[in-house]
Amino acid sequence: MERKRREGEAKQQVDSRYFCHSHPRVLSLTRPRNSSVLALSDAIGKQVVANLEHHIEPVKSARNANRKVNALTVAKVHAGDMVIRQALVDNNFPMPRATRAADRRPFALDLLGDFGGMQPLVVSSNESPSDDNWNERAMYPWLQSLFLFVARHIKHYLEGVADGRLPDRLVLPYEKTDVLAKGSDDRKRPDLGLGIRSRSRGIGPIGGRTEYAGALAIVEAKGEYAKGAGKPDEPQLKLGTPTRDAFEQLFMYMHQVYPNQCNRQFVWGISQSRAETRVCIFVNNGAVVSHAMNPHTPDGRCQFVQLLVDWSLCEAPLLGYDPTIEWLDGLKCWRIDMPSIATNTDMPPDTSSASSAPPYYFSRMYVEANHLFGHHTCCFPATMQRSGAPVSDENPIMPDAVVKDAWPYVEHGDVDRGKLGEVAFLKNIRQKLAESNLACHWYSPRLQEVLG
């Protein structure tokens, strides 16, 4: 019954005002804001696309009767290395570790292996004899291979590059999928997700199944052709059945992300059908979906590849991570930066001067953000006392405050209207407790308007 209820709710949300279809700016949201990083991302994206097309061309060629795909030559790998090295020089980045000829051949063979794993996804049925088995179980390995193909380039080109402008990040797929009806539970894990790993580590899928606590993005594939693929202005209710089913599944998955990631302001989703890829961003007042990208066309492949490169190189807040909440791995707890509190004024707290207020530390939540849309209210039992050892059952955080996160600021005069009257209630609590020993801070980061 509970599963049926959630399925019905997801269907209603896809049909509702929460669902903004084919928005033209979704793919540009994660373009790096730093101009040098943006230029480098563009250079890497173009090289990844060029190498992908190199592998695709023999399969499409009518002159190649066997349709055999050869690995990149050592000379071609070296030429690509030189292009990226020049981009690094032009944008004042340090040089990567020098690659030897002996390193380039294994890289080329790894790319060939990745391409073999994704070939049905990127080559249409008229050009490839091996893609007649389109179903979820088959499609997820194809997507995993495409994600690895892109990440492998980034690691190869940026090996040894240490620069504060570049995040130490690779976006990689999880190793195992969860597509069987028996034993699957969307409340515990989605079918497939993308996670983050340091560039300094080896290339390969992240071990195990996707966990909501670590997922950057959730991926959902449906196996049949989507009707009307590639039409950015198609009516919302005429989405092809596989694409619609994928979005309904994503709506169900996203309910589980926020309770498991207290530092997420928004979450990314990817839907994949046979003839289209779409990217979706879930914010607190709706889901915004990109236009369709056809993986069988050079333009569609180029757009999706560039997005994946951007995800590895852009600033963390563009991926949906709150910059004021940080996981401290050595202490096994969270740190939350507090804005200074404006007193005797109707202006919102000054989040630009967060360093003027002491941070708080917490390891659990009293209240989770358990709704897909809305205030995403969380409450953390916290303390200003930084632990000297990792937090555990034997060394727990002893809270002396409750931090309430993510209630939006409202202008004076509007605080008593509807649900936003909660803000006035919180303000009243702060005033009444002003002279007590219990710290009561108003933490309310204002999200940047990104979609216009």
Side-chain angles (χ1 to χ4, degrees):
M1 290 296 294
E2 173 61 18
R3 169 85 182 197
K4 289 292 185 182
R5 184 196 66 78
R6 289 184 288 114
E7 287 177 347
E9 183 180 58
K11 291 179 185 294
Q12 292 177 355
Q13 288 171 334
V14 171
D15 290 331
S16 73
R17 61 182 175 84
Y18 289 119
F19 191 67
C20 177
H21 188 253
S22 299
H23 198 288
R25 293 183 58 191
V26 172
L27 298 184
S28 66
L29 293 180
T30 51
R31 300 254 63 200
R33 298 300 187 254
N34 182 284
S35 59
S36 297
V37 178
L38 177 63
L40 180 62
S41 183
D42 285 339
I44 294 176
K46 290 177 182 177
Q47 199 59 45
V48 176
V49 170
N51 289 344
L52 180 57
E53 297 303 318
H54 167 89
H55 289 84
I56 291 174
E57 186 57 36
V59 181
K60 295 172 61 177
S61 175
R63 296 187 299 272
N64 186 357
N66 295 325
R67 298 188 175 184
K68 182 179 179 180
V69 181
N70 295 316
L72 293 167
T73 64
V74 171
K76 192 170 182 65
V77 173
H78 178 66
D81 291 348
M82 292 301 100
V83 170
I84 302 304
R85 288 177 74 89
Q86 188 60 52
L88 289 166
V89 170
D90 292 344
N91 292 281
N92 299 313
F93 288 105
M95 285 294 94
R97 178 180 63 82
T99 58
R100 302 170 300 169
D103 298 326
R104 296 174 189 135
R105 182 61 178 170
F107 173 66
L109 292 176
D110 287 338
L111 293 182
L112 181 62
D114 293 337
F115 177 74
M118 70 166 127
Q119 181 174 324
L121 180 69
V122 296
V123 182
S124 70
S125 57
N126 294 329
E127 297 157 344
S128 175
S130 60
D131 66 346
D132 55 352
N133 187 29
W134 281 75
N135 57 65
E136 288 184 53
R137 185 182 295 185
M139 292 170 69
Y140 285 124
W142 303 342
L143 286 162
Q144 288 170 315
S145 295
L146 174 59
F147 299 144
L148 288 173
F149 186 89
V150 175
R152 199 178 303 280
H153 281 83
I154 297 171
K155 180 173 175 59
H156 175 79
Y157 292 141
L158 301 182
E159 189 74 43
V161 176
D163 190 285
R165 293 169 292 175
L166 291 175
D168 182 21
R169 179 196 309 138
L170 280 180
V171 174
L172 293 164
Y174 282 83
E175 179 183 13
K176 296 182 180 180
T177 61
D178 192 45
V179 296
L180 297 178
K182 183 179 180 181
S184 64
D185 187 348
D186 63 87
R187 290 172 296 182
K188 294 181 179 179
R189 54 183 177 265
D191 290 354
L192 178 64
L194 291 171
I196 293 173
R197 178 187 287 169
S198 168
R199 275 203 321 273
S200 63
R201 298 180 61 183
I203 195 76
I206 298 172
R209 290 185 171 88
T210 303
E211 298 293 338
Y212 285 116
L216 161 66
I218 305 298
V219 183
E220 180 64 23
K222 296 296 179 184
E224 302 174 13
Y225 267 115
K227 300 175 183 178
K231 298 179 181 179
D233 59 344
E234 61 189 335
Q236 178 171 315
L237 297 181
K238 292 186 179 180
L239 277 172
T241 299
T243 301
R244 180 189 176 85
D245 289 349
F247 283 131
E248 290 176 359
Q249 196 71 46
L250 285 175
F251 270 84
M252 292 179 64
Y253 289 148
M254 293 304 172
H255 276 276
Q256 308 302 324
V257 175
Y258 292 108
N260 287 279
Q261 295 190 41
C262 62
N263 63 332
R264 289 305 288 270
Q265 293 179 320
F266 54 87
V267 186
W268 292 90
I270 298 173
S271 74
Q272 180 68 57
S273 68
R274 184 167 185 170
E276 71 174 48
T277 307
R278 291 181 188 258
V279 178
C280 184
I281 177 174
F282 287 79
V283 291
N284 68 335
N285 63 346
V288 187
V289 187
S290 74
H291 62 273
M293 296 168 280
N294 190 332
H296 299 155
T297 66
D299 185 58
R301 292 189 291 266
C302 179
Q303 292 180 66
F304 191 47
V305 164
Q306 187 61 63
L307 177 79
L308 295 175
V309 174
D310 288 345
W311 280 5
S312 283
L313 299 183
C314 72
E315 296 83 353
L318 302 181
L319 296 175
Y321 293 99
D322 187 339
T324 67
I325 303 179
E326 179 185 5
W327 172 252
L328 304 178
D329 195 53
L331 293 180
K332 304 302 178 185
C333 68
W334 294 91
R335 165 188 164 131
I336 182 168
D337 293 327
M338 307 298 296
S340 61
I341 301 175
T343 57
N344 300 320
T345 177
D346 292 324
M347 294 302 292
D350 181 8
T351 56
S352 66
S353 59
S355 61
S356 63
Y360 276 75
Y361 302 89
F362 67 92
S363 60
R364 58 195 178 97
M365 287 186 279
Y366 280 160
V367 177
E368 299 175 344
N370 57 0
H371 288 83
L372 183 56
F373 304 121
H375 294 303
H376 289 172
T377 301
C378 298
C379 286
F380 313 119
T383 180
M384 287 189 291
Q385 301 301 316
R386 182 185 175 101
S387 177
V391 173
S392 63
D393 291 340
E394 292 73 27
N395 181 43
I397 285 179
M398 303 301 291
D400 51 28
V402 173
V403 179
K404 194 161 192 176
D405 176 31
W407 283 24
Y409 174 75
V410 288
E411 297 291 342
H412 180 69
D414 291 338
V415 295
D416 294 318
R417 297 181 183 177
K419 294 182 179 179
L420 294 182
E422 296 167 322
V423 178
F425 178 70
L426 182 61
K427 186 176 181 180
N428 187 45
I429 291 176
R430 188 187 67 175
Q431 292 171 342
K432 289 183 177 180
L433 297 178
E435 297 180 359
S436 73
N437 294 325
L438 178 65
C440 182
H441 285 274
W442 183 3
Y443 177 58
S444 177
R446 289 161 287 171
L447 297 180
Q448 179 181 6
E449 185 69 35
V450 292
L451 292 174

